[in-house]
Amino acid sequence: MAKKMDKVFHKKFGQRIRFLRKEKGLTQEQLSFEIDADNSYIANIENAHRDIPLSRVNKIAKALGISLKDLFDY
Amino acid sequence: MAKKMDKVFHKKFGQRIRFLRKEKGLTQEQLSFEIDADNSYIANIENAHRDIPLSRVNKIAKALGISLKDLFDY
């Protein structure tokens, strides 16, 4: 996450996750639980504080009930 | 990458990267170079031998000249 480009990318990705999570009516803690992650995991993603393995992105998409294609449609 | 579900997911993702890379006329080494990774990085992804940070997936999409939405359209 050293480069500025990455920071912008992760910020937008975090905003997207927040939007989809709220649309689904889930708290950050609930979505974290759904993907077997610790309590603050989704909060950290939404605030662009961490990179994330693709396998986790896949789990988030499943928990939100959408495809990766649709998750990245923003 | 412990769970079977992940293995299937990464296998399909690897096949997708291979397809897109060949369509672009790049070798595994060339695409690895484009994303500032070591020589065998793309080979390992295509063979489903590794998980991958989202920031790298983003770099691969940029190197292939497509959006993440289109990359995951399979």
Side-chain angles (χ1 to χ4, degrees):
Chain A
M1 299 267 288
K3 294 181 186 170
K4 199 175 178 184
M5 185 192 78
D6 275 357
K7 193 70 191 165
V8 170
F9 169 70
H10 282 282
K11 196 169 172 180
K12 285 186 181 170
F13 178 74
Q15 289 168 344
R16 176 66 172 160
I17 296 299
R18 177 173 281 134
F19 173 81
L20 292 169
R21 173 182 59 77
K22 288 188 174 177
E23 203 176 45
K24 196 83 181 174
L26 296 171
T27 65
Q28 292 174 327
E29 291 75 16
Q30 284 170 332
L31 184 53
S32 298
F33 180 80
E34 289 287 337
I35 62 164
D36 302 314
D38 68 87
N39 249 348
S40 58
Y41 198 86
I42 293 296
N44 283 330
I45 289 170
E46 292 184 0
N47 294 315
H49 290 154
R50 70 188 306 163
D51 203 352
I52 172 174
L54 184 54
S55 56
R56 285 278 199 194
V57 181
N58 188 41
K59 280 185 180 173
I60 292 172
K62 280 182 193 293
L64 293 171
I66 63 169
S67 66
L68 284 172
K69 179 192 166 196
D70 289 340
L71 191 153
F72 286 108
D73 187 10
Y74 61 93
Chain B
M1 299 269 287
K3 294 180 187 170
K4 199 175 178 184
M5 186 193 79
D6 276 356
K7 192 70 190 168
V8 170
F9 168 70
H10 282 283
K11 197 170 171 180
K12 285 186 181 170
F13 179 73
Q15 287 168 345
R16 176 65 172 160
I17 296 299
R18 178 172 281 134
F19 173 82
L20 293 169
R21 174 182 59 75
K22 288 187 174 178
E23 203 176 45
K24 197 82 181 174
L26 296 171
T27 65
Q28 292 174 328
E29 291 74 17
Q30 284 170 331
L31 184 52
S32 298
F33 179 81
E34 288 288 335
I35 62 164
D36 301 314
D38 68 87
N39 250 347
S40 59
Y41 198 85
I42 294 296
N44 283 331
I45 290 169
E46 291 184 0
N47 294 316
H49 290 154
R50 70 188 305 163
D51 204 353
I52 172 175
L54 185 55
S55 55
R56 284 278 200 194
V57 181
N58 189 40
K59 279 185 181 173
I60 291 172
K62 281 181 193 294
L64 293 171
I66 64 170
S67 67
L68 284 172
K69 180 191 166 197
D70 289 339
L71 191 153
F72 286 107
D73 187 10
Y74 61 91

